[in-house]
Amino acid sequence: MLSNKSNTKALCIAALLMLTACGTSDEQSPLVARVYDYELRMDDLVGLVGEGVSAEDSAAIVDNYVDQWVRQKVILAKAEKNVKDDFSRQMNEYRNSLLTFAYEQQIVAQIMDTVVTDSQIEEYYEANTEQFLLKNAIVKAVYVAAPKRNAIDGKLKGLVYKNPFRDEDIVEMQALAKRIGAAGSYDGNSWMPFYTLQSVVPITTYNESLYLRQNRTIVLADDSTCWYVRILDYKISDDVSPLELQKDNIRAIILNHRKLDILNRLQADLLKEAEEGGHVERAKQKSLIVTKS
């Protein structure tokens, strides 16, 4: 909380900021704070407080900003006096990097086609399946977690053991579970990591690949709960991940390739233009030895 003195001063600054933002004063911007040779003036605070902010909140924002500015400048002044390193080269390189990045992003935004069709995604997927090998098993599964010795135990067991197992069986499982308030998952079209299923159903195995090959129907129970699980599909580690799981990833890869292609062509075109215009000079020596003086 601000002290009364600090609060009053900050409120005055906040009020002046609104006047400054409205352009009511043509005089030199008032001084807000000074640390050695550094000065913070009212113009530096324009835009700090947004519209609709209360006077009390505005004062708090201003006071906090000024306090942080003073602290930073006190340290900076001491650092400038005592640190003898010259950072001009690093600062220049950083500025160059920012400018280059901004220009490249501008060019990319102007000319890059951001539409990626399903056929392009499928084509990339088919040509690069080795990029999409699974690290863990995944499954499509539906399950019910019901109280033990429930009234629909036999019906649930009969459903999960049905062969063939159809969409209407999932609907019936859900309806039965609803009758007794049992929890479950009934989305048979979505993939999930096998370990996610294991986090809600106490499946224990040291060889998930073998387990999934041998168990499409799982019924487990402990002292209070019985789980009814039907594995609709599965893929083990080192299988190729399904296309539907990789669409967003592939779309991002394709767009990144397009971006890199644009940047490579941009660099080549600009280099050619500069060389043909006589704006590029290189030393004639095949190798240059740079030594420290």
Side-chain angles (χ1 to χ4, degrees):
M1 182 176 292
L2 301 177
S3 65
N4 290 336
K5 182 177 179 181
S6 178
N7 189 38
T8 301
K9 183 177 179 181
L11 282 169
C12 291
I13 293 173
L16 283 171
L17 275 175
M18 287 186 284
L19 291 174
T20 303
C22 294
T24 57
S25 175
D26 294 327
E27 300 177 1
Q28 183 182 13
S29 180
L31 182 69
V32 176
R34 177 184 288 116
V35 175
Y36 298 104
D37 295 330
Y38 299 106
E39 292 183 348
L40 179 67
R41 294 193 172 271
M42 194 69 64
D43 286 347
D44 300 318
L45 304 181
V46 174
L48 180 64
V49 179
E51 295 182 5
V53 181
S54 69
E56 188 71 24
D57 289 341
S58 297
I61 292 170
V62 169
D63 191 72
N64 182 67
Y65 182 87
V66 173
D67 181 63
Q68 291 298 317
W69 183 89
V70 168
R71 289 171 181 268
Q72 291 172 359
K73 295 309 180 187
V74 166
I75 297 173
L76 180 58
K78 186 64 69 173
E80 288 183 329
K81 184 177 180 180
N82 292 276
V83 177
K84 304 304 180 183
D85 294 350
D86 181 6
F87 296 103
S88 57
R89 178 177 177 180
Q90 293 94 320
M91 292 174 66
N92 188 54
E93 289 177 350
Y94 180 61
R95 174 183 177 276
N96 293 342
S97 295
L98 288 177
L99 282 172
T100 301
F101 178 78
Y103 178 65
E104 290 178 342
Q105 294 300 109
Q106 178 180 316
I107 297 300
V108 168
Q110 289 174 356
I111 67 176
M112 189 173 83
D113 179 10
T114 57
V115 175
V116 181
T117 65
D118 286 343
S119 61
Q120 289 171 330
I121 291 174
E122 292 172 10
E123 182 180 352
Y124 186 90
Y125 176 79
E126 294 296 338
N128 298 277
T129 53
E130 71 282 353
Q131 294 183 18
F132 308 112
L133 301 182
L134 291 166
K135 294 181 179 179
N136 301 102
I138 58 174
V139 296
K140 288 182 178 180
V142 293
Y143 65 85
V144 173
K148 195 172 183 182
R149 290 180 291 277
N150 62 80
I152 58 172
D153 176 77
K155 292 182 179 179
L156 285 173
K157 284 181 180 177
L159 281 173
V160 296
Y161 277 104
K162 277 189 71 173
N163 193 17
F165 186 82
R166 299 186 173 91
D167 290 344
E168 52 265 33
D169 298 317
I170 299 176
V171 173
E172 188 174 353
M173 279 180 65
Q174 186 172 8
L176 288 170
K178 187 177 181 180
R179 276 172 45 188
I180 62 171
S185 176
Y186 312 101
D187 183 2
N189 296 315
S190 297
W191 292 96
M192 72 174 84
F194 182 52
Y195 59 75
T196 297
L197 179 63
Q198 289 179 285
S199 70
V200 292
V201 179
I203 299 170
T204 301
T205 177
Y206 297 102
N207 188 330
E208 62 182 19
S209 300
L210 181 62
Y211 185 90
L212 289 171
R213 290 190 185 101
Q214 295 179 346
N215 296 275
R216 301 301 293 271
T217 300
I218 304 165
V219 177
L220 299 170
D222 61 14
D223 293 339
S224 61
T225 306
C226 189
W227 291 269
Y228 309 86
V229 184
R230 181 64 180 240
I231 304 292
L232 305 177
D233 199 358
Y234 70 90
K235 289 185 179 294
I236 61 176
S237 58
D238 291 331
D239 278 349
V240 178
S241 178
L243 175 59
E244 59 262 40
L245 291 183
Q246 297 300 330
K247 279 191 172 183
D248 289 342
N249 184 29
I250 294 173
R251 181 175 289 105
I253 291 172
I254 291 173
L255 290 176
N256 189 55
H257 284 179
R258 291 179 184 175
K259 178 180 177 179
L260 292 176
D261 183 58
I262 289 171
L263 294 179
N264 288 334
R265 286 189 284 112
L266 173 66
Q267 292 172 6
D269 291 345
L270 292 179
L271 177 59
K272 181 180 179 181
E273 177 185 324
E275 289 178 333
E276 290 179 349
H279 303 297
V280 176
E281 296 182 15
R282 291 188 176 93
K284 294 182 179 180
Q285 294 89 337
K286 289 186 178 181
S287 62
L288 297 174
I289 299 175
V290 179
T291 59
K292 280 190 175 182
S293 57

